[in-house]
Structures are given as C-alpha cells and as structure tokens.
Amino acid sequence: MLLLTCPWCGPRDETEYHYGGQAHVPYPEDPDALSDEEWAENLFFRDNPAGPFAERWSHTAGCRRWFNVVRDTATYDVLEVYTGAAPAATQPGVAR
Amino acid sequence: MSTPLPPEHPDWLWRDPDPKSSYDAIVVGGGGHGLATAYYLAKNHGITNIAVLEKGWLAGGNMARNTTIIRSNYLWDESSAIYEFALKLWEDLPAELDYDFHFSQRGVLNLAHTLQDVRDSTRRVNANKLNGVDAEWLEPNEVAKVCPIVNVSPDVRYPVLGATFQPRAGIAKHDHVAWALARACDQLGVDLIQNCEVTGFVKDRDRVVAVETTRGRINAGVVGLAAAGHSSVLAEMAGFRLPVQSHPLQALVSELYEPVHPTVVMSNHVHVYVSQAHKGELVMGAGVDSYNGYGQRGSFHVIEHQMAAALELFPIFGRAHLLRTWGGIVDVSPDASPIISATPVENLYVNGGWGTGGFKATPAAGWAMAHTMATGEPHELNRPFALERFATGALINEHGAAAVAH
C-alpha cells in the first residue's frame, strides 16, 4: 500500500485517498476552436510514462482537498508532494 | 468432476536463436498475443521470415499472470464478434497445434446482485443470442445447480439475484497455450528471440525500417507491437501517443484443494472472479489498482477487498489459505476496448489496450493483427478497434457493459 503525505493532514494510507490521474491537464483555452482530433487528445490521451509522473490525489477520507504528487510509476517512490496549479520545479510530463 | 493431471513439463519446444540482421516482420512482445500474431502471419499469410522480440523470457509477462478465463459474452456487436471468433479458434486450437493445453469449457457465471445488474445482464443475454453467442439467464436456484458452492441465500449484504451463464466459456492452462503457440511458430520458421529489449525505432521519414535492441539493430519490413502494459513506452519511442493508462492488476491463488468449484464465477458488484485450476488452486482476480504503475505489484488492500468478496460469495473458502499473489501491468483504454490499429508511423502497427481481458482474445488478436500487418489493411474483426475511434467518437464502451470487472 502506498503511504502518501497529505499537505494538510500528514502521512496517511493510500486507502484514504482517491486517485485523479495526470496533473496539470489544462482545459482548452478556446474549446470552440478545437478539431475532433484535438478534442480526442484532450479527452482521451494522457501521459503514461514508466518513471516520474505528476499526478492528482484527493484526500477523500480526510480533508477532501486535492493535491499533486510526483511519483515514480516504476518504483512507486514518492518524489515530491505539492499543492496548487503550477507544476513543480522538478515536474516531468507536463501536459502539452 | 474429473480433473486429468496436466502434462509433464516439456523439453525445449523451440530453438533459442540469435537475431538475424533483417526480417520481413518483427513482432515486439513474446507473450500470447505476440506469439499468436507470428503464428498467423506464418500460417495464414505465408510470411515466415519473422522475429518475435521478447525483453525477458517467453510468455513471462501477462501471459504468466492472467486468470486464464475465456469467454465471449460481451455486450456490443464489435466486441462479441472478435471474442466469439477467438472462442471458436480456442475450440479448434488444441487439435490444430497438436497440444492439449487443457481448454476446459466449464462455463462462466456472471452474477447479478442488484436490480440494475439484472436488467443489464438480461439485456446482455439477449444481445449475445442475437450475435450467436451462447448465453442464458439463470435464477438463483439454477445458479446453485450450476455452482453449488455459491451462497445464494437472500440473507447476505449483496444477495445473488441471478446470473448470466455462457456454457462454452471456460479456462485453459496459460503456460501451455504459450508453449503450444511457440512450438508451432518455431516449426514454421519463426525466430523467438528472448532477452532482446527494443530500445528504439529507426525511421525513414514517417516509415519504420528497423528496431534498435539490446542485441543490436534489426531491420524490419513491418513491425507490430504486442507489449500490453508497455505499449505506451514503445509508442513514445516511436514518436506517437496511445490513449491508454498502465495499471497494476493483481491476482492470487490458494493452496491446492480437492475439486469444489465446477465452473467460473464472476461478480462485478462484489468485485471478484474465481475459478479452480486443474491442479486445484482457487484462482481469483478483481479490478486494477487505481494508480498508474509499471511495478508488476499492487497494494495489499486490493487483495483484502478481493478476499472479502470471495468469502461473501463462497463461505466454504473461509479456511482456505492464500498461497501467492502477484501483479501484471495492463494498459487500459478509455472505452475498455482494445486497439488493433495502424499508427501515425508507416509500417508500424499496434495491438494493445486490452486492459484486464486480453488472454481470452489471444488467438483472435493474433489473427486480426497478422492480417493487418500482412495486408496493411484492418481485418473486419479489428476495423472498429482502430485509433481513429477516439476522434470520431465511435467508442465501443465495454466498461461495465461486458461483465468486465474493472
């Protein structure tokens, strides 16, 4: 089981959290201007690296707030926990 | 129930060749799908100058980690077409490959625990019948006749309200399936090359012409990817993205027991599926771990959840001992349907996105992928499963619809 550190509540078991997938996926600035292919990219395509990955977690059984984790998907090591919409300095895989 | 012993561990059934400098076709991934692709490239299309490149050992990925369930009772026409095609191939393959891999058509029960489950299930039975797939709806007392150890008491948290039953579904010995295919490939002249990881793709403009591997560069006329959980990693090397996310999927077996479980039981609602292997282990699986992961391991609370569900359905398992748990990496697509498709790179094709359910499709996936690689055009089976569907919106949404435990 993963041990994740909520920025507000501290270290808790994975079972207290809900996974939110890739972090920093922006909503299209001008949705009307997107082609079908661009919508497909926005809706269905996410990064899927074997390595460091910036992802969203929500502390559903605690403070119910969202935060970001950079986690290595190969080793499951948590590399960084941070809040806010801005990617971390060490941030890999920012959505294009 | 008579349970013949599985065959003895065989001697080497295939050569262990070094890679040649060039092949007409290269299949990346030496699991069930890769082997089936090579087999049908050779058998159906006469292409025998083929290499199957496997980064580890043959059939050591998800082919060694699945729960061996074979069924075709999917809801949508496109899905039932390809899975039923697979089931018909499974029925012929032991004779065709001259290898008894213990394909046992013991049926599958998909339990319904809520009124919505009942409605969805009866709808799926009707859809299956229209598509020529054997399916029937069973009331709880009939469920108990098929599988006496299922608890059909109304006095449980999620009582069994009935089940769909596909009698032709079943299980097979996954390792023996791989060995049977590998032997057949080898006899047809296919080079099965192990410990050979693909590290890059060589392109001439938009066309793939070779692969870089840990055993050197190998030229290729056409390349097919059959790498399951690592499909995204290979696609990224080749310069394109796939709409899949890789998750750990865990399964487990108990110690060996006398035959007590005559069929396969799946329950989406309490989230477990159970069969009993020929040797006697109870084989169980459930859904994926929530997070992306390539670690071939998952979190223990997922195992606890499966065991709780299994105990609810099968009180007789209360004293059973867990022997072993493991994880595989599955690439899950947005609509829980596979991708067998051309890619943005010319002469490079992908077979992936099977998520939690690739084993049952092994022969059909190989058949369709071989056709696609040999002709450059999709087979009728995989035409609906192209990458374009994510832009056109013609998704084949089998999440939940197909009795898939996700």
Side-chain angles (χ1 to χ4, degrees):
Chain A
M1 185 177 319
L2 302 181
L3 181 64
L4 297 171
T5 302
C6 172
W8 297 278
C9 309
R12 304 292 180 90
D13 282 344
E14 175 195 337
T15 46
E16 293 196 12
Y17 297 97
H18 176 80
Y19 188 59
Q22 184 179 347
H24 311 300
V25 178
Y27 192 76
E29 282 186 23
D30 184 4
D32 291 341
L34 261 53
S35 66
D36 289 351
E37 286 71 24
E38 288 165 333
W39 266 121
E41 186 79 12
N42 182 268
L43 288 171
F44 298 127
F45 287 70
R46 295 290 179 270
D47 292 341
N48 188 26
F53 182 52
E55 58 192 15
R56 303 272 283 154
W57 288 87
S58 169
H59 192 189
T60 42
C63 63
R64 301 185 55 79
R65 285 199 268 187
W66 286 92
F67 59 99
N68 308 309
V69 174
V70 178
R71 188 177 57 90
D72 189 314
T73 60
T75 64
Y76 300 172
D77 290 339
V78 173
L79 307 176
E80 190 170 352
V81 175
Y82 59 101
T83 60
T90 59
Q91 160 78 48
V94 179
R96 56 212 81 175
Chain B
M1 191 173 67
S2 81
T3 52
L5 292 172
E8 292 296 307
H9 197 294
D11 291 330
W12 293 112
L13 297 177
W14 55 88
R15 297 164 292 130
D16 188 22
D18 290 322
K20 295 191 287 189
S21 60
S22 177
Y23 290 92
D24 293 338
I26 285 179
V27 178
V28 182
H33 284 218
L35 292 169
T37 301
Y39 173 66
Y40 288 117
L41 274 171
K43 176 170 177 279
N44 292 357
H45 302 281
I47 300 171
T48 56
N49 184 27
I50 305 172
V52 176
L53 308 183
E54 167 54 48
K55 72 172 177 177
W57 62 92
L58 213 66
N62 292 351
M63 194 61 176
R65 295 158 197 273
N66 63 78
T67 48
T68 80
I69 298 170
I70 294 166
R71 61 189 179 89
S72 63
N73 56 348
Y74 280 66
L75 177 67
W76 300 110
D77 294 350
E78 299 87 346
S79 310
S80 66
I82 194 166
Y83 290 109
E84 177 61 20
F85 190 86
L87 181 49
K88 290 200 171 82
L89 290 174
W90 283 114
E91 288 171 332
D92 292 337
L93 272 175
E96 181 180 322
L97 300 174
D98 189 25
Y99 199 124
D100 178 10
F101 50 72
H102 288 260
F103 178 42
S104 163
Q105 291 180 286
R106 57 182 62 190
V108 61
L109 288 166
N110 291 95
L111 303 181
H113 299 272
T114 67
L115 186 55
Q116 189 61 48
D117 268 358
V118 173
R119 289 170 176 155
D120 291 344
S121 300
T122 49
R123 178 191 179 199
R124 183 163 47 76
V125 165
N126 290 331
N128 288 162
K129 284 178 174 169
L130 288 170
N131 280 318
V133 175
D134 58 319
E136 51 195 292
W137 170 256
L138 302 185
E139 297 295 333
N141 63 319
E142 298 168 310
V143 171
K145 280 183 203 147
V146 173
C147 189
I149 59 171
V150 173
N151 183 9
V152 294
S153 159
D155 301 322
V156 295
R157 176 68 184 85
Y158 298 109
V160 174
L161 302 183
T164 68
F165 187 50
Q166 183 182 21
R168 286 167 58 244
I171 56 175
K173 293 289 288 180
H174 52 105
D175 288 335
H176 289 277
V177 171
W179 299 336
L181 285 167
R183 182 179 67 173
C185 283
D186 185 76
Q187 287 169 351
L188 288 163
V190 176
D191 281 357
L192 307 175
I193 300 165
Q194 304 177 78
N195 300 309
C196 182
E197 182 171 1
V198 169
T199 55
F201 294 87
V202 183
K203 291 194 277 188
D204 177 9
R205 286 190 287 270
D206 288 334
R207 189 163 59 93
V208 67
V209 294
V211 294
E212 298 283 3
T213 78
T214 49
R215 296 177 71 172
R217 177 183 290 202
I218 310 174
N219 296 321
V222 59
V223 178
L225 307 181
H230 281 83
S231 297
S232 295
V233 175
L234 288 166
E236 189 177 348
M237 280 179 203
F240 65 98
R241 298 175 95 198
L242 287 172
V244 296
Q245 297 279 282
S246 296
H247 292 271
L249 173 63
Q250 301 186 74
L252 60 96
V253 291
S254 73
E255 292 179 337
L256 309 188
Y257 295 106
E258 294 290 316
V260 292
H261 189 342
T263 183
V264 180
V265 171
M266 306 180 69
S267 168
N268 275 1
H269 197 76
V270 304
H271 225 207
V272 74
Y273 41 86
V274 186
S275 66
Q276 187 169 20
H278 294 82
K279 218 161 53 177
E281 312 101 312
L282 299 164
V283 185
M284 304 185 203
V288 297
D289 280 65
S290 67
Y291 48 78
N292 290 22
Y294 284 84
Q296 289 189 322
R297 60 197 165 86
S299 296
F300 194 71
H301 67 90
V302 177
I303 297 288
E304 287 184 306
H305 185 72
Q306 286 180 33
M307 298 296 272
L311 275 184
E312 158 112 355
L313 292 177
F314 302 96
I316 187 178
F317 295 170
R319 301 287 176 93
H321 287 174
L322 178 74
L323 183 65
R324 181 169 81 244
T325 80
W326 64 90
I329 311 165
V330 299
D331 50 333
V332 179
S333 70
D335 57 357
S337 284
I339 297 161
I340 309 178
S341 179
T343 70
V345 180
E346 200 179 329
N347 288 357
L348 178 62
Y349 299 90
V350 64
N351 167 31
W354 289 93
T356 62
F359 175 73
K360 67 175 80 69
T362 299
W367 185 290
M369 183 67 167
H371 179 99
T372 308
M373 287 174 66
T375 67
E377 292 293 324
H379 189 278
E380 285 310 309
L381 287 172
N382 65 305
R383 192 180 297 279
F385 295 105
L387 275 170
E388 286 76 33
R389 76 177 186 270
F390 299 100
T392 63
L395 302 181
I396 303 159
N397 190 359
E398 292 289 358
H399 269 299
V404 193
H406 286 287

